[in-house]
């Protein structure tokens, strides 16, 4: 059938008892309705309406066809209602993935998001491993990495930049008073988020494009950033941690930056999702919320 609208015009003509009354209701010219019904009759190969200058009569096959057309139009309206409902207040479930180490700071944002959107449910998959968005039915993933290493078919929304910075408990900062002499790191215990066995390597960028590389044997190596941060707060040594993880501890004084002019290669905090087209409203709402609130890495964990 060439056009579902022809069927719609036919049902309106029959329902209102003629082309003229249907045209007044629909605010369409009578000639247009007649032309569209004639096209429908031609495509079906039957006469649906007998009409002349004085007479309007729906044929028997026209009446039978009209009954089925009403059912079709009702289904079309129900389909439109489903779409319209999704365009109102976002509702439904979002499966959201992020690194475990960021949950301390994303948690308050996610709670605030759920307060703003009471009909949205969150299923948070907090893990440090790289998830498979499609196989694990992940709607949205937040990632921290030096570069965008994702499938080209996915969509990325960049949130902010993130360096890895050197942090330690205040007692260690007192011992490392010469902030220009980054080589002092070779003489202090280190805490690493690298799980590989043996030596670790930290490469730094400093003032005037200076570089420094430290090869060291960490006192603690652990893939869980929270555990490494906790060890640093406890005074176990100097840690190299993503800037996004350190904001609250730095503000509270539990940690301080050491050698603040030195940092690692700048990385990114970004969102990954499968496609922009047909994105469910609750997923779109979470993307926009995080894009607005996750900007300054050192302020992550605050909702103001």
């Amino acid at each position: 059938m060439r056009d579902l609208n022809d069927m719609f015009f036919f049902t309106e003509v029959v329902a209102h008892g003629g082309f003229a009354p249907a045209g007044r209701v629909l605010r369409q010219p009578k000639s247009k309705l007649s032309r569209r019904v004639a096209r429908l009759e031609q495509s079906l190969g039957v006469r649906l309406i007998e009409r002349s200058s004085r007479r309007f009569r729906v044929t028997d096959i026209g009446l039978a066809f009209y009954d089925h057309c009403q059912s079709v139009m009702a289904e079309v309206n129900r389909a439109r209602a489903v779409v319209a409902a999704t365009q109102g207040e976002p509702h439904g479930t979002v499966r959201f993935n992020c690194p475990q180490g960021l949950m301390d700071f994303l948690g308050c944002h996610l709670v605030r998001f759920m307060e703003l959107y009471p009909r949205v449910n969150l299923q948070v998959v907090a893990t440090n491993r790289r998830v498979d968005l499609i196989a694990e039915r992940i709607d949205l993933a937040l990632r921290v990495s030096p570069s965008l290493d994702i499938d080209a078919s996915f969509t990325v929304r960049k949130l902010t930049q993130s360096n890895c910075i050197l942090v330690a408990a205040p007692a260690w900062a007192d011992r490392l008073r010469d902030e220009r002499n980054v080589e002092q790191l070779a003489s202090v215990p280190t805490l690493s988020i690298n799980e590989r066995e043996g030596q670790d390597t930290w490469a730094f960028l400093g003032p005037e494009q200076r570089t420094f590389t430290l090869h060291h044997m960490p006192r603690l190596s652990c893939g869980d950033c929270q555990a490494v941060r906790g060890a640093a707060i406890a005074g176990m040594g100097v840690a190299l941690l993503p800037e996004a993880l350190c904001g609250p501890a730095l503000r509270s004084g539990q940690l301080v930056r050491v050698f603040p002019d030195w940092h690692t290669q700048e990385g990114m905090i970004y969102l990954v999702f499968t496609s922009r087209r047909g994105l469910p409203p609750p997923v779109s709402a979470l993307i926009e919320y995080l894009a607005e609130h996750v900007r300054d890495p050192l302020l992550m964990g605050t909702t103001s």
Side-chain angles (χ1 to χ4, degrees), residues 6-141:
D6 291 348
M7 189 182 294
F8 166 74
F9 288 133
F10 166 74
T11 59
E12 291 298 302
V13 168
V14 174
H16 292 94
F19 292 94
R24 287 191 292 270
V25 172
L26 298 175
R27 297 183 180 179
Q28 297 286 341
K30 174 183 174 182
S31 59
K32 176 181 177 179
L33 299 184
S34 178
R35 187 169 61 253
R36 298 298 286 268
V37 170
R39 187 170 76 170
L40 179 63
E41 290 176 322
Q42 183 179 8
S43 68
L44 294 171
V46 296
R47 192 76 167 170
L48 300 174
I49 297 174
E50 297 286 355
R51 62 261 200 199
S52 66
S53 58
R54 297 183 180 181
R55 189 178 181 192
F56 174 90
R57 184 182 72 85
V58 183
T59 65
D60 291 342
I61 189 64
L63 289 173
F65 186 68
Y66 171 73
D67 289 339
H68 290 289
C69 286
Q70 284 186 305
S71 299
V72 171
M73 292 300 112
E75 286 299 323
V76 169
N77 289 332
R78 277 193 282 271
R80 286 176 172 170
V82 169
V83 174
T86 67
Q87 294 173 337
E89 180 186 356
H91 65 279
T93 298
V94 180
R95 280 178 58 80
F96 175 64
N97 162 247
C98 71
Q100 287 177 324
L102 289 182
M103 277 309 300
D104 275 0
F105 316 114
L106 282 176
C108 59
H109 287 306
L110 298 181
V111 169
R112 177 60 180 150
F113 172 78
M114 289 189 291
E115 290 174 345
L116 291 174
Y117 298 97
R119 299 180 64 194
V120 175
N121 302 319
L122 289 181
Q123 293 179 356
V124 180
V125 180
T127 177
N128 293 329
R129 65 178 175 82
R130 180 63 60 92
V131 300
D132 184 323
L133 271 65
I134 295 175
E136 299 181 55
R137 298 181 297 105
I138 300 296
D139 297 304
L140 183 66

Side-chain angles (χ1 to χ4, degrees), residues 135-150:
E136 299 181 55
R137 298 181 297 105
I138 300 296
D139 297 304
L140 183 66
L142 185 145
R143 291 178 178 170
V144 183
S145 66
S147 60
L148 297 176
D149 52 346
I150 64 166

